[in-house]
Amino acid sequence: MKFVQILFVACLLGFSNFSFGAKVDSLDIPSAAMGKTYKAAVVLPSSYANSKQPYPVLYLLHGGGGQFSDWLSKTPDKMLLHKLADQYNLIIVTPEGERLGGYLDSPIQKDNKFETYITQEVVEKIDKTYRTIRDRKGRVITGLSMGGHGALFLSGRHPELYCAAGSMSGALDLNVDTWKLDPETIKRISPGFERILGPKGATPDQYAAHSVVYMAEKLKTNDVRLIIDCGVDDFLIEPNRELHRRLVYNKTPHDYIERPGGHTWDYWENSLPYHVLFFHKVLKANGSVIP
């Protein structure tokens, strides 16, 4: 009889953990700027349902060849975001950026307005739909590869929205000639950037204006805490090192990390918890964490 009671309690505990863990919503977010509707995933910590407090939000951006669901489907640990949301009582939003939208407003493609989409339309939809801290003191952003560039680019241009930003393996210079890739690969991916910024030779100013590596002075003037990391075997290591050098030179506070690894989901799964811990410390200093 005692064994049956213990088994019953164990089943209840297991059911409780299964039922009340972090929850994932799929949200349609229309874009008036682009005349389209995109999806986003929203990870709500288990504490959200039983709380009346507003929650801090992490915007987590995907890479250039991906989509909004990547952070939930491609990490080796498919519960990574669930665990982080629960551990830090944090809402995590993974919005759509298309396969190579650059998280920027293209000067030549009117249907590519992802700066407007992420910073205005997505933030507004999330704040209206969920119980969030509707202030920069409770809002952070990071991402991988193109999403790392996007996070630093958007936070650099909109410091009123975010208190901290990060980049994992960021494509911090949109001129692919600075990447460690073979000529054939560069030739294959260049048209994607030319679609949104024009031919490199004809519009070099557009590439510079939209590349984070040239935003060091802008980043210095913003009160946005920064964390940047990249694997030493990553083909994007040189643009990351160049931005780091520029930030050191102009005395912009930031955390910069190089560790073994390449442009892989194993690397990003290892990297993300460091970013979230960094953000948690910033949010705590702002009085924006849920106990």
Side-chain angles (χ1 to χ4, degrees), residues 245-267:
R245 285 190 286 263
R246 293 179 181 220
L247 294 177
V248 169
Y249 180 80
N250 72 5
K251 297 181 172 60
T252 301
H254 66 290
D255 279 21
Y256 179 77
I257 305 160
E258 290 185 14
R259 64 172 70 92
H263 211 72
T264 68
W265 279 102
D266 285 327
Y267 180 89

Side-chain angles (χ1 to χ4, degrees), residues 187-214:
K187 182 179 179 180
R188 177 171 53 82
I189 65 177
S190 290
F193 288 101
E194 292 177 352
R195 182 185 71 83
I196 58 176
L197 292 174
K200 287 197 300 286
T203 58
D205 291 346
Q206 293 294 351
Y207 284 78
H210 292 89
S211 291
V212 170
V213 72
Y214 299 109

Side-chain angles (χ1 to χ4, degrees), residues 214-257:
Y214 299 109
M215 292 176 63
E217 288 304 314
K218 175 63 175 171
L219 296 176
K220 180 180 181 179
T221 65
N222 298 336
D223 181 26
V224 178
R225 297 283 302 278
L226 303 174
I227 179 170
I228 302 163
D229 72 84
C230 191
V232 295
D233 302 314
D234 198 301
F235 62 86
L236 293 169
I237 188 65
E238 289 306 325
N240 279 267
R241 288 173 173 167
E242 180 60 24
L243 177 62
H244 171 55
R245 285 190 286 263
R246 293 179 181 220
L247 294 177
V248 169
Y249 180 80
N250 72 5
K251 297 181 172 60
T252 301
H254 66 290
D255 279 21
Y256 179 77
I257 305 160

Side-chain angles (χ1 to χ4, degrees), residues 258-284:
E258 290 185 14
R259 64 172 70 92
H263 211 72
T264 68
W265 279 102
D266 285 327
Y267 180 89
W268 302 319
E269 176 172 293
N270 182 59
S271 178
L272 181 59
Y274 289 95
H275 282 236
V276 179
L277 175 60
F278 177 89
F279 294 148
H280 178 74
K281 292 179 178 179
V282 178
L283 294 168
K284 186 175 182 179

Side-chain angles (χ1 to χ4, degrees), residues 63-136:
Q67 59 183 338
F68 79 97
S69 59
D70 282 2
W71 274 105
L72 289 164
S73 64
K74 293 191 174 182
T75 52
D77 179 359
K78 301 300 185 288
M79 299 301 290
L80 176 64
L81 299 196
H82 303 68
K83 293 173 182 177
L84 292 172
D86 278 346
Q87 181 179 354
Y88 292 101
N89 282 322
L90 182 72
I91 297 173
I92 302 176
V93 179
T94 64
E96 182 61 69
E98 282 199 347
R99 291 190 62 82
L100 196 60
Y103 297 104
L104 54 85
D105 284 357
S106 169
I108 59 177
Q109 286 291 333
K110 300 305 181 184
D111 64 347
N112 196 107
K113 301 292 182 183
F114 282 95
E115 178 179 355
T116 296
Y117 180 63
I118 300 294
T119 62
Q120 296 180 28
E121 296 170 326
V122 172
V123 169
E124 181 180 359
K125 179 68 172 181
I126 295 299
D127 283 349
K128 285 184 176 180
T129 305
Y130 299 97
R131 197 170 56 255
T132 63
I133 297 173
R134 301 177 183 182
D135 186 274
R136 72 183 298 272

Side-chain angles (χ1 to χ4, degrees), residues 2-187:
K2 187 174 182 180
F3 173 78
V4 173
Q5 289 175 334
I6 292 173
L7 182 61
F8 179 70
V9 171
C11 288
L12 282 179
L13 289 175
F15 182 77
S16 175
N17 288 336
F18 179 80
S19 300
F20 298 104
K23 170 190 172 186
V24 180
D25 285 351
S26 179
L27 194 65
D28 291 331
I29 305 181
S31 172
M34 293 184 282
K36 301 178 184 178
T37 295
Y38 294 101
K39 286 191 176 294
V42 181
V43 184
L44 298 172
S46 56
S47 63
Y48 181 85
N50 298 314
S51 174
K52 295 182 179 180
Q53 292 182 271
Y55 276 64
V57 181
L58 163 62
Y59 289 88
L60 183 58
L61 308 183
H62 66 77
Q67 59 183 338
F68 79 97
S69 59
D70 282 2
W71 274 105
L72 289 164
S73 64
K74 293 191 174 182
T75 52
D77 179 359
K78 301 300 185 288
M79 299 301 290
L80 176 64
L81 299 196
H82 303 68
K83 293 173 182 177
L84 292 172
D86 278 346
Q87 181 179 354
Y88 292 101
N89 282 322
L90 182 72
I91 297 173
I92 302 176
V93 179
T94 64
E96 182 61 69
E98 282 199 347
R99 291 190 62 82
L100 196 60
Y103 297 104
L104 54 85
D105 284 357
S106 169
I108 59 177
Q109 286 291 333
K110 300 305 181 184
D111 64 347
N112 196 107
K113 301 292 182 183
F114 282 95
E115 178 179 355
T116 296
Y117 180 63
I118 300 294
T119 62
Q120 296 180 28
E121 296 170 326
V122 172
V123 169
E124 181 180 359
K125 179 68 172 181
I126 295 299
D127 283 349
K128 285 184 176 180
T129 305
Y130 299 97
R131 197 170 56 255
T132 63
I133 297 173
R134 301 177 183 182
D135 186 274
R136 72 183 298 272
K137 69 180 182 180
R139 198 181 291 123
V140 296
I141 186 169
T142 191
L144 68 88
S145 194
M146 183 185 76
H149 176 274
L152 295 184
F153 180 76
L154 298 176
S155 66
R157 288 171 57 85
H158 302 274
E160 75 282 358
L161 291 179
Y162 313 98
C163 63
S167 170
M168 293 168 263
S169 311
L172 304 184
D173 190 341
L174 299 185
N175 179 355
V176 297
D177 292 337
T178 66
W179 301 2
K180 286 186 174 181
L181 291 173
D182 62 88
E184 191 62 34
T185 303
I186 289 177
K187 182 179 179 180

